[in-house]
Amino acid sequence: MLQKIMQYFNSYVKDGICIAYSGGVDSSLLLKAACLAREERIKELTAAKPQEKVPGAQKKLTKKHPEKTLPEILAVVAETRLHPHEDTLLAQELARSMGAACVILQIDELEDPRIKNNPVNRCYLCKRLLFSAIQETARSHGCLHVFDGTNLNDTAEYRPGLAALEELNVHSPLKDLNITKEQVRSLSRNLGLSTSEKPSAPCLATRLPYGAPLDYELLDRLHSGETFLRKLGFFNVRLRYHAPVLRIEVDAPSLNQVIFQRERILQRMKSLGFSYITLDLEGFRSGSMDIGLSL
């Protein structure tokens, strides 16, 4: 399956590949596969005869530096306050360890009042803003193609942002190759990627109901609460805020652990300014704020 992803990238290597990189499990696998595809192409160029013209080479081969005939793999990280800052630092470090060039973009989504008002199509508006900036950066670095880590499972959920990616002609290899989240994790484990067991971390706006204005101070408090729960050993964690009620989501098998650590959790959540704290008995569900939408 890794070979399928690498083959997907083969025809794009010569034109430059830009990965929209978050440091998560999906985009990390994608970045690793792109770097491996480039390395494989360099080996092919190295093995060719010195004066042989090879498709995709920008000039006659020099066995001494064949890597100079191909653009670097570029990882672009969009740093926003709707995503934890620590994720950006880890993403930058991991991208460089894979041999990719890395660029950090500073973007404030809430400068767009439409996004700040948190409408049902907020994800579309955000993706359009972020990927337009990523494409511009890619082109300025000589990369003609942008790729993202959407996988097959993502298509089963409400993801209006996918329409923005299609409009901007962003490629999604994992989705196109019908690769699931579990397969992504399995491949990542085989490659020894540190992200293989990393929980999904969608933007913090998903913690509020549609129509509730986005506020950085509130989202920062929710992020602090989630970080606390993860330190207690919970894997998938979401704090959904339906003012004035805070709803805790953890994986269903871990519900009893929330009760067991009830006092510590209550103390921390109240210190963050939340007065009414509830536990969702259905457990963690990706996209639970989308329930009841008429789409």
Side-chain angles (χ1 to χ4, degrees):
M1 194 172 298
L2 176 61
Q3 285 299 319
K4 286 172 62 178
I5 306 174
M6 291 170 61
Q7 288 169 8
Y8 186 106
F9 282 123
N10 280 345
S11 60
Y12 299 103
V13 170
K14 66 181 184 300
D15 294 328
I17 290 173
C18 170
I19 306 294
Y21 190 53
S22 68
V25 60
D26 299 310
S27 62
S28 290
L29 176 63
L30 210 60
L31 183 60
K32 182 65 175 180
C35 289
L36 290 174
R38 181 178 182 272
E39 290 173 12
E40 191 171 87
R41 186 65 180 135
I42 289 172
K43 289 178 183 178
E44 293 174 1
L45 294 174
T46 303
K49 295 178 181 179
Q51 295 301 315
E52 179 185 346
K53 289 188 176 180
V54 176
Q58 296 175 358
K59 57 185 178 180
K60 286 186 178 180
L61 297 177
T62 58
K63 286 190 129 253
K64 196 172 182 181
H65 299 292
E67 69 278 5
K68 293 183 179 180
T69 67
L70 297 175
E72 287 186 293
I73 303 297
L74 178 67
V76 177
V77 181
E79 181 171 34
T80 84
R81 287 190 60 187
L82 294 182
H83 296 82
H85 176 63
E86 58 267 27
D87 287 355
T88 299
L89 299 178
L90 291 172
Q92 184 179 40
E93 180 180 346
L94 185 54
R96 289 175 175 168
S97 74
M98 292 185 198
C102 188
V103 173
I104 309 295
L105 294 184
Q106 302 288 338
I107 299 175
D108 184 355
E109 292 106 324
L110 300 198
E111 288 183 352
D112 185 333
R114 298 174 301 167
I115 296 175
K116 184 176 178 64
N117 289 332
N118 193 18
V120 172
N121 70 335
R122 178 204 68 242
C123 186
Y124 168 83
L125 298 171
C126 275
K127 291 290 188 187
R128 185 85 198 188
L129 174 68
L130 295 178
F131 277 84
S132 294
I134 290 171
Q135 281 189 327
E136 184 177 337
T137 301
R139 293 189 187 105
S140 71
H141 284 74
C143 294
L144 300 183
H145 306 284
V146 175
F147 302 79
D148 95 301
T150 301
N151 65 61
L152 184 61
N153 295 102
D154 294 329
T155 62
E157 300 176 1
Y158 175 58
R159 297 289 179 104
L162 297 182
L165 301 185
E166 290 180 8
E167 291 171 6
L168 295 170
N169 197 31
V170 172
H171 306 283
S172 301
L174 302 177
K175 174 176 69 71
D176 294 344
L177 296 171
N178 295 320
I179 296 176
T180 66
K181 188 76 167 188
E182 186 49 47
Q183 289 172 319
V184 169
R185 291 195 184 281
S186 177
L187 285 170
S188 298
R189 282 191 289 270
N190 292 340
L191 287 167
L193 295 178
S194 60
T195 53
S196 63
E197 307 304 326
K198 186 175 182 178
S200 298
C203 86
L204 294 171
T206 60
R207 279 45 165 195
L208 301 180
Y210 295 113
L214 301 180
D215 174 78
Y216 286 139
E217 187 274 334
L218 171 59
L219 295 177
D220 286 345
R221 287 191 285 132
L222 291 169
H223 173 57
S224 294
E226 290 184 354
T227 300
F228 172 78
L229 290 173
R230 289 195 182 94
K231 287 180 179 178
L232 291 182
F234 297 101
F235 186 70
N236 284 311
V237 173
R238 297 289 185 273
L239 293 182
R240 317 283 193 183
Y241 187 60
H242 309 257
V245 176
L246 181 70
R247 174 166 58 89
I248 299 175
E249 290 183 14
V250 298
D251 292 315
S254 300
L255 291 174
N256 287 336
Q257 282 301 310
V258 177
I259 303 302
F260 182 74
Q261 303 192 67
R262 170 178 172 273
E263 290 301 327
R264 292 181 68 185
I265 292 172
L266 283 174
Q267 182 180 17
R268 179 56 178 158
M269 298 306 154
K270 289 189 175 184
S271 75
L272 290 170
F274 301 110
S275 300
Y276 299 95
I277 298 102
T278 65
L279 175 62
D280 191 319
L281 295 182
E282 286 195 67
F284 166 77
R285 287 154 293 149
S286 179
S288 69
M289 284 299 196
D290 300 331
I291 293 173
L293 288 179
S294 297
L295 305 175

